[in-house]
Amino acid sequence: MSEFHSLANLIKRLEVATTRLEDLAMSSSSASAVSAASAANPSSASAAASSAPSATSSSSVPAVVQKHDEALKAPLDKYKALSADIGGLVAEQSALVAEAIQAERDIIRVSTLAQKPDMSSPTFATLITPIQTALMAVVDIKDKNRGNAQFNHLSAVAEAIPALGWFTFEPTPVPIIREMKDAGQFYSNRVIKEYKEKDAKHVEWVQSFMAIFDALGAFVKENFPTGLTWNAKGEKADAYMSKGDAAGASSAPAAPAAAPAVPTPPAGGAGAPPPPPPPPPPPMIIEDEAEDTKQPASGAAAVFAEINRGTSVTAGLRKVDKSEMTHKNPALRQQAENTSPTKKQAPPTPSKPNKFVLKKPAKTTLEANKWVVEHHESNNDIVIEATAINQAVYIYGCKNSTVRIKGKVNAVTMDSCTKCGVALDSVVSTVDIVNCKSFGLQVFHVTPTIAIDKCDSGQVYLSKECMGVEILSAKSSSLNILVPDLQADDGDFKELPVPEQLKTTIVDGKLVTTTVEHTG
């Protein structure tokens, strides 16, 4: 599941990069002039598309371009050779990859000679048209052959090739190269998984293709870590492009693969250079935006516009007379207080009268072997007699009441009662007190166990016979156990509180819990 999530993130970044290149290209309407110039000199374009980037003499090729050629030539040549061995669409796509790398190389060369153009200008759009055309052609091959047996090969290349647009990312171009490489790695792993046991050539092809982007990332990190640098002292990019730069014609941007091939001139003839393309048209003016600028500003923009007016911002204010100032005229202030509107209070929420509260009928009945005492209020005369040793008593939902249980019963439970008391003789198993507040329990003879859970403010009276009882308490507070005072002759009780604060320590890898005792 994590692989698909990573793939989704990488595809999203790829779409952002592609959209950015498309937007820059769409802002110019002079792409047709570049296509015409490329078609007029197809011999140089076909030569650039069929060969790897190569360095000319050191006097005409900038040093950074030579570094680019040295970094990418070896992995690119190996990738093209293996693609030709595999053949089919892989070989066709590799030629387009070479065109895209050549176009990227030409942009680096132009950056060493010209000033940086605005990325939203038609000049920059014209400059990136060749690489954009090559990148789109690489992706189109993949999109048009989804059912092909080499689809994973085509997808690996199409997902990673947008890394060549690293020069549009500032100030950190290196991460985009790594991310695009990772995007292609997903499909590359599929190729390796499919062919590692059948044909090692495909595995070597994957390694050679990924080596291109490793070399590209190292080159960019060393020479352009904060983005593509331009020649601040050079000519403007549009002026440089209009001159054609005959000295660097051999490395001009390659023509699209779809351009028709024209016979090359004889080797003995020099051949006339292509005519320079026409200058780019002036930027388009959108009437809607012009009309919007004429509309008055609103919101925060209007506030800052008023502030920027300077001293004239107070020209429309009226001077307040002293007779109208409340801090200098007590009578006016008092009048304002009297005329100020009083805040209306919301009507109180009517409480539900007690007479409309549904009261369930009180009940004291014997159901099979169980005494049920429910919903008694302010009744201190509840007595259960004629009990048996196999009977249980269940007390529920009583308030301000007292229950007297005579004889020996099996078990007693008091649940969800408030200010109730239970007095009993003997119990065979246990007495359970659950979710009660301000309860009282008195044992006249004996009970082996008393369990108290989720209770607050309880008093438990024990007899001399019941001194061996076990008292279990949980989530309870303010519990007191009253035992007979053996030293007194008048039958007084001695009050002993149940500890609520506990201390837990680790002894020999085990938890040891003791009560906290306060002295002083």
Side-chain angles (χ1 to χ4, degrees):
M1 211 48 201
S2 60
E3 293 183 358
F4 290 103
H5 179 68
S6 301
L7 174 62
N9 290 335
L10 294 173
I11 290 176
K12 184 177 179 181
R13 294 299 300 269
L14 172 60
E15 292 176 351
V16 171
T18 305
T19 303
R20 186 173 181 182
L21 292 174
E22 291 176 352
D23 292 342
L24 293 175
M26 289 176 63
S27 64
S28 172
S29 61
S30 61
S32 58
V34 178
S35 299
S38 299
N41 190 17
S43 58
S44 61
S46 60
S50 60
S51 63
S54 59
T56 60
S57 62
S58 59
S59 61
S60 61
V61 180
V64 69
V65 178
Q66 294 182 20
K67 291 182 180 180
H68 178 274
D69 295 342
E70 294 173 359
L72 269 66
K73 185 177 186 305
L76 180 60
D77 288 345
K78 185 176 181 181
Y79 161 70
K80 291 178 60 179
L82 291 172
S83 298
D85 291 343
I86 295 175
L89 295 174
V90 173
E92 181 180 350
Q93 193 181 46
S94 67
L96 296 173
V97 171
E99 288 186 27
I101 294 177
Q102 176 67 24
E104 179 247 1
R105 175 185 183 272
D106 294 336
I107 293 174
I108 297 175
R109 182 181 60 82
V110 172
S111 69
T112 62
L113 303 173
Q115 298 178 9
K116 180 179 180 180
D118 187 0
M119 288 191 177
S120 60
S121 65
T123 302
F124 189 78
T126 303
L127 182 63
I128 67 171
T129 297
I131 188 173
Q132 183 194 11
T133 304
L135 294 179
M136 293 179 63
V138 171
V139 177
D140 286 342
I141 289 182
K142 182 260 295 185
D143 293 338
K144 294 178 181 179
N145 298 276
R146 293 187 175 273
N148 193 280
Q150 297 176 340
F151 177 72
N152 288 331
H153 299 70
L154 304 177
S155 298
V157 176
E159 295 294 333
I161 200 64
L164 296 178
W166 59 268
F167 53 86
T168 61
F169 290 85
E170 296 177 350
T172 53
V174 177
I176 191 63
I177 299 176
R178 296 172 182 169
E179 291 182 13
M180 293 300 102
K181 176 192 172 186
D182 293 340
Q185 192 71 50
F186 176 80
Y187 290 97
S188 298
N189 291 338
R190 289 188 173 183
V191 176
I192 295 175
K193 182 179 179 180
E194 182 179 358
Y195 287 96
K196 67 179 180 180
E197 301 295 339
K198 297 189 297 183
D199 191 349
K201 182 194 306 179
H202 294 263
V203 178
E204 190 177 359
W205 175 87
V206 169
Q207 296 172 351
S208 64
F209 178 70
M210 290 301 167
I212 295 175
F213 298 98
D214 291 336
L216 178 63
F219 166 76
V220 174
K221 184 177 181 180
E222 179 183 357
N223 299 278
F224 307 108
T226 58
L228 184 63
T229 55
W230 296 73
N231 189 352
K233 298 181 180 180
E235 300 184 31
K236 291 186 177 181
D238 51 357
Y240 171 77
M241 295 173 63
S242 64
K243 290 182 179 180
D245 192 13
S250 60
S251 59
V262 178
T264 59
M284 295 181 294
I285 299 177
I286 303 176
E287 297 181 357
D288 294 341
E289 295 182 358
E291 294 177 356
D292 293 342
T293 57
K294 297 179 182 179
Q295 296 180 359
S298 59
V303 175
F304 286 106
E306 290 292 332
I307 294 175
N308 293 332
R309 289 172 55 189
T311 56
S312 61
V313 71
T314 59
L317 300 180
R318 181 178 64 87
K319 184 175 179 60
V320 180
D321 190 74
K322 292 184 179 180
S323 61
E324 298 177 351
M325 299 180 182
T326 56
H327 65 284
K328 293 185 177 181
N329 193 343
L332 186 62
R333 182 168 62 249
Q334 185 177 3
Q335 181 180 359
E337 293 176 357
N338 294 335
T339 58
S340 60
T342 57
K343 186 178 180 180
K344 295 183 179 181
Q345 296 182 354
T349 303
S351 58
K352 200 170 186 179
N354 292 333
K355 62 180 180 179
F356 294 112
V357 177
L358 180 61
K359 292 184 179 181
K360 296 183 180 180
K363 180 172 65 173
T364 304
T365 57
L366 177 62
E367 299 177 357
N369 293 330
K370 182 178 182 181
W371 286 93
V372 179
V373 181
E374 294 180 346
H375 309 299
H376 285 275
E377 290 190 13
S378 302
N379 186 0
N380 296 321
D381 298 326
I382 306 173
V383 180
I384 299 178
E385 296 180 329
T387 58
I389 196 172
N390 63 340
Q391 294 178 349
V393 179
Y394 181 72
I395 305 169
Y396 175 78
C398 297
K399 297 181 180 179
N400 300 318
S401 301
T402 303
V403 180
R404 176 70 173 93
I405 303 173
K406 296 183 179 181
K408 180 182 290 188
V409 295
N410 186 31
V412 176
T413 302
M414 183 165 64
D415 186 7
S416 302
C417 296
T418 303
K419 295 183 179 181
C420 291
V422 176
L424 54 89
D425 289 341
S426 297
V427 176
V428 175
S429 59
T430 182
V431 178
D432 291 312
I433 311 295
V434 182
N435 199 22
C436 294
K437 297 181 179 179
S438 301
F439 69 92
L441 171 65
Q442 184 170 7
V443 181
F444 290 107
H445 293 292
V446 65
T447 181
T449 307
I450 299 175
I452 304 174
D453 190 14
K454 299 179 183 179
C455 295
D456 184 26
S457 300
Q459 306 287 333
V460 179
Y461 295 83
L462 301 178
S463 63
K464 294 181 180 181
E465 304 174 26
C466 196
M467 299 302 291
V469 66
E470 293 182 356
I471 301 175
L472 309 176
S473 62
K475 298 182 180 180
S476 301
S477 60
S478 302
L479 299 181
N480 294 312
I481 309 299
L482 291 91
V483 298
D485 191 353
L486 301 179
Q487 298 178 357
D489 298 333
D490 53 358
D492 289 341
F493 287 87
K494 181 179 179 181
E495 188 177 51
L496 303 174
V498 176
E500 298 180 17
Q501 190 174 7
L502 305 177
K503 179 180 70 175
T504 301
T505 57
I506 301 176
V507 179
D508 297 332
K510 297 181 180 180
L511 297 180
V512 178
T513 303
T514 58
T515 60
V516 177
E517 297 181 358
H518 298 278
T519 59

PDB file of all heavy atoms in Angstrom, residues 344-360:
ATOM      1  N   LYS A 344     -30.874  42.635  25.444  1.00  0.00           N
ATOM      2  CA  LYS A 344     -31.981  41.751  25.773  1.00  0.00           C
ATOM      3  C   LYS A 344     -31.456  40.401  26.222  1.00  0.00           C
ATOM      4  O   LYS A 344     -30.591  39.826  25.585  1.00  0.00           O
ATOM      5  CB  LYS A 344     -32.898  41.570  24.559  1.00  0.00           C
ATOM      6  CG  LYS A 344     -33.594  42.852  24.128  1.00  0.00           C
ATOM      7  CD  LYS A 344     -34.538  42.581  22.967  1.00  0.00           C
ATOM      8  CE  LYS A 344     -35.260  43.846  22.545  1.00  0.00           C
ATOM      9  NZ  LYS A 344     -36.203  43.609  21.424  1.00  0.00           N
ATOM     10  N   GLN A 345     -31.975  39.978  27.327  1.00  0.00           N
ATOM     11  CA  GLN A 345     -31.581  38.681  27.843  1.00  0.00           C
ATOM     12  C   GLN A 345     -32.483  37.599  27.272  1.00  0.00           C
ATOM     13  O   GLN A 345     -33.697  37.788  27.133  1.00  0.00           O
ATOM     14  CB  GLN A 345     -31.646  38.652  29.367  1.00  0.00           C
ATOM     15  CG  GLN A 345     -30.655  39.608  30.032  1.00  0.00           C
ATOM     16  CD  GLN A 345     -30.728  39.511  31.533  1.00  0.00           C
ATOM     17  OE1 GLN A 345     -31.587  38.824  32.079  1.00  0.00           O
ATOM     18  NE2 GLN A 345     -29.813  40.204  32.200  1.00  0.00           N
ATOM     19  N   ALA A 346     -31.886  36.525  26.947  1.00  0.00           N
ATOM     20  CA  ALA A 346     -32.655  35.407  26.411  1.00  0.00           C
ATOM     21  C   ALA A 346     -33.533  34.820  27.506  1.00  0.00           C
ATOM     22  O   ALA A 346     -33.150  34.806  28.688  1.00  0.00           O
ATOM     23  CB  ALA A 346     -31.715  34.350  25.858  1.00  0.00           C
ATOM     24  N   PRO A 347     -34.700  34.407  27.166  1.00  0.00           N
ATOM     25  CA  PRO A 347     -35.570  33.809  28.183  1.00  0.00           C
ATOM     26  C   PRO A 347     -34.941  32.563  28.772  1.00  0.00           C
ATOM     27  O   PRO A 347     -34.271  31.811  28.064  1.00  0.00           O
ATOM     28  CB  PRO A 347     -36.845  33.476  27.396  1.00  0.00           C
ATOM     29  CG  PRO A 347     -36.416  33.384  25.966  1.00  0.00           C
ATOM     30  CD  PRO A 347     -35.298  34.368  25.816  1.00  0.00           C
ATOM     31  N   PRO A 348     -35.094  32.380  30.060  1.00  0.00           N
ATOM     32  CA  PRO A 348     -34.485  31.208  30.687  1.00  0.00           C
ATOM     33  C   PRO A 348     -35.087  29.917  30.160  1.00  0.00           C
ATOM     34  O   PRO A 348     -36.268  29.856  29.802  1.00  0.00           O
ATOM     35  CB  PRO A 348     -34.785  31.407  32.178  1.00  0.00           C
ATOM     36  CG  PRO A 348     -36.004  32.273  32.195  1.00  0.00           C
ATOM     37  CD  PRO A 348     -35.890  33.187  31.015  1.00  0.00           C
ATOM     38  N   THR A 349     -34.247  28.930  30.095  1.00  0.00           N
ATOM     39  CA  THR A 349     -34.711  27.617  29.638  1.00  0.00           C
ATOM     40  C   THR A 349     -35.592  27.001  30.711  1.00  0.00           C
ATOM     41  O   THR A 349     -35.158  26.818  31.852  1.00  0.00           O
ATOM     42  CB  THR A 349     -33.521  26.699  29.357  1.00  0.00           C
ATOM     43  OG1 THR A 349     -32.670  27.323  28.400  1.00  0.00           O
ATOM     44  CG2 THR A 349     -33.989  25.365  28.808  1.00  0.00           C
ATOM     45  N   PRO A 350     -36.841  26.746  30.389  1.00  0.00           N
ATOM     46  CA  PRO A 350     -37.730  26.195  31.423  1.00  0.00           C
ATOM     47  C   PRO A 350     -37.295  24.805  31.832  1.00  0.00           C
ATOM     48  O   PRO A 350     -36.967  23.964  31.003  1.00  0.00           O
ATOM     49  CB  PRO A 350     -39.097  26.162  30.726  1.00  0.00           C
ATOM     50  CG  PRO A 350     -38.781  26.105  29.262  1.00  0.00           C
ATOM     51  CD  PRO A 350     -37.508  26.881  29.086  1.00  0.00           C
ATOM     52  N   SER A 351     -37.237  24.619  33.108  1.00  0.00           N
ATOM     53  CA  SER A 351     -36.883  23.305  33.630  1.00  0.00           C
ATOM     54  C   SER A 351     -38.124  22.420  33.684  1.00  0.00           C
ATOM     55  O   SER A 351     -39.249  22.903  33.850  1.00  0.00           O
ATOM     56  CB  SER A 351     -36.286  23.428  35.043  1.00  0.00           C
ATOM     57  OG  SER A 351     -37.209  24.070  35.895  1.00  0.00           O
ATOM     58  N   LYS A 352     -37.878  21.180  33.565  1.00  0.00           N
ATOM     59  CA  LYS A 352     -38.989  20.234  33.535  1.00  0.00           C
ATOM     60  C   LYS A 352     -39.560  20.065  34.944  1.00  0.00           C
ATOM     61  O   LYS A 352     -38.826  19.697  35.875  1.00  0.00           O
ATOM     62  CB  LYS A 352     -38.496  18.891  33.009  1.00  0.00           C
ATOM     63  CG  LYS A 352     -39.592  17.990  32.480  1.00  0.00           C
ATOM     64  CD  LYS A 352     -38.984  16.803  31.774  1.00  0.00           C
ATOM     65  CE  LYS A 352     -40.074  15.961  31.119  1.00  0.00           C
ATOM     66  NZ  LYS A 352     -39.507  14.802  30.410  1.00  0.00           N
ATOM     67  N   PRO A 353     -40.801  20.395  35.134  1.00  0.00           N
ATOM     68  CA  PRO A 353     -41.376  20.253  36.484  1.00  0.00           C
ATOM     69  C   PRO A 353     -41.318  18.810  36.954  1.00  0.00           C
ATOM     70  O   PRO A 353     -41.347  17.872  36.165  1.00  0.00           O
ATOM     71  CB  PRO A 353     -42.823  20.721  36.296  1.00  0.00           C
ATOM     72  CG  PRO A 353     -42.828  21.499  35.026  1.00  0.00           C
ATOM     73  CD  PRO A 353     -41.763  20.917  34.175  1.00  0.00           C
ATOM     74  N   ASN A 354     -41.203  18.698  38.272  1.00  0.00           N
ATOM     75  CA  ASN A 354     -41.105  17.354  38.836  1.00  0.00           C
ATOM     76  C   ASN A 354     -42.361  16.528  38.576  1.00  0.00           C
ATOM     77  O   ASN A 354     -42.303  15.309  38.482  1.00  0.00           O
ATOM     78  CB  ASN A 354     -40.851  17.443  40.343  1.00  0.00           C
ATOM     79  CG  ASN A 354     -39.471  18.014  40.625  1.00  0.00           C
ATOM     80  OD1 ASN A 354     -38.575  17.877  39.826  1.00  0.00           O
ATOM     81  ND2 ASN A 354     -39.338  18.671  41.780  1.00  0.00           N
ATOM     82  N   LYS A 355     -43.478  17.240  38.448  1.00  0.00           N
ATOM     83  CA  LYS A 355     -44.708  16.460  38.270  1.00  0.00           C
ATOM     84  C   LYS A 355     -44.796  15.839  36.882  1.00  0.00           C
ATOM     85  O   LYS A 355     -45.613  14.951  36.644  1.00  0.00           O
ATOM     86  CB  LYS A 355     -45.931  17.353  38.521  1.00  0.00           C
ATOM     87  CG  LYS A 355     -46.045  18.515  37.542  1.00  0.00           C
ATOM     88  CD  LYS A 355     -47.278  19.353  37.872  1.00  0.00           C
ATOM     89  CE  LYS A 355     -47.424  20.532  36.914  1.00  0.00           C
ATOM     90  NZ  LYS A 355     -48.639  21.322  37.238  1.00  0.00           N
ATOM     91  N   PHE A 356     -43.953  16.345  35.946  1.00  0.00           N
ATOM     92  CA  PHE A 356     -43.952  15.763  34.617  1.00  0.00           C
ATOM     93  C   PHE A 356     -42.852  14.729  34.427  1.00  0.00           C
ATOM     94  O   PHE A 356     -42.718  14.163  33.358  1.00  0.00           O
ATOM     95  CB  PHE A 356     -43.799  16.860  33.552  1.00  0.00           C
ATOM     96  CG  PHE A 356     -44.979  17.784  33.486  1.00  0.00           C
ATOM     97  CD1 PHE A 356     -44.864  19.103  33.875  1.00  0.00           C
ATOM     98  CD2 PHE A 356     -46.214  17.328  33.041  1.00  0.00           C
ATOM     99  CE1 PHE A 356     -45.941  19.957  33.820  1.00  0.00           C
ATOM    100  CE2 PHE A 356     -47.303  18.170  32.992  1.00  0.00           C
ATOM    101  CZ  PHE A 356     -47.179  19.495  33.380  1.00  0.00           C
ATOM    102  N   VAL A 357     -41.987  14.543  35.446  1.00  0.00           N
ATOM    103  CA  VAL A 357     -40.959  13.530  35.370  1.00  0.00           C
ATOM    104  C   VAL A 357     -41.588  12.156  35.577  1.00  0.00           C
ATOM    105  O   VAL A 357     -42.335  11.943  36.546  1.00  0.00           O
ATOM    106  CB  VAL A 357     -39.855  13.776  36.411  1.00  0.00           C
ATOM    107  CG1 VAL A 357     -38.828  12.660  36.364  1.00  0.00           C
ATOM    108  CG2 VAL A 357     -39.190  15.124  36.156  1.00  0.00           C
ATOM    109  N   LEU A 358     -41.296  11.264  34.641  1.00  0.00           N
ATOM    110  CA  LEU A 358     -41.908   9.944  34.721  1.00  0.00           C
ATOM    111  C   LEU A 358     -41.305   9.162  35.879  1.00  0.00           C
ATOM    112  O   LEU A 358     -40.085   8.974  35.944  1.00  0.00           O
ATOM    113  CB  LEU A 358     -41.683   9.189  33.400  1.00  0.00           C
ATOM    114  CG  LEU A 358     -42.282   7.770  33.334  1.00  0.00           C
ATOM    115  CD1 LEU A 358     -43.795   7.815  33.494  1.00  0.00           C
ATOM    116  CD2 LEU A 358     -41.888   7.104  32.028  1.00  0.00           C
ATOM    117  N   LYS A 359     -42.098   8.755  36.793  1.00  0.00           N
ATOM    118  CA  LYS A 359     -41.665   7.964  37.943  1.00  0.00           C
ATOM    119  C   LYS A 359     -42.177   6.542  37.783  1.00  0.00           C
ATOM    120  O   LYS A 359     -43.362   6.323  37.558  1.00  0.00           O
ATOM    121  CB  LYS A 359     -42.211   8.545  39.247  1.00  0.00           C
ATOM    122  CG  LYS A 359     -41.605   9.891  39.608  1.00  0.00           C
ATOM    123  CD  LYS A 359     -42.122  10.363  40.970  1.00  0.00           C
ATOM    124  CE  LYS A 359     -41.497  11.693  41.357  1.00  0.00           C
ATOM    125  NZ  LYS A 359     -41.976  12.165  42.684  1.00  0.00           N
ATOM    126  N   LYS A 360     -41.242   5.645  37.883  1.00  0.00           N
ATOM    127  CA  LYS A 360     -41.633   4.245  37.787  1.00  0.00           C
ATOM    128  C   LYS A 360     -42.163   3.775  39.136  1.00  0.00           C
ATOM    129  O   LYS A 360     -41.721   4.234  40.193  1.00  0.00           O
ATOM    130  CB  LYS A 360     -40.442   3.400  37.366  1.00  0.00           C
ATOM    131  CG  LYS A 360     -39.938   3.739  35.968  1.00  0.00           C
ATOM    132  CD  LYS A 360     -38.795   2.830  35.560  1.00  0.00           C
ATOM    133  CE  LYS A 360     -38.312   3.177  34.160  1.00  0.00           C
ATOM    134  NZ  LYS A 360     -37.205   2.313  33.714  1.00  0.00           N
TER     135      LYS A 360
END
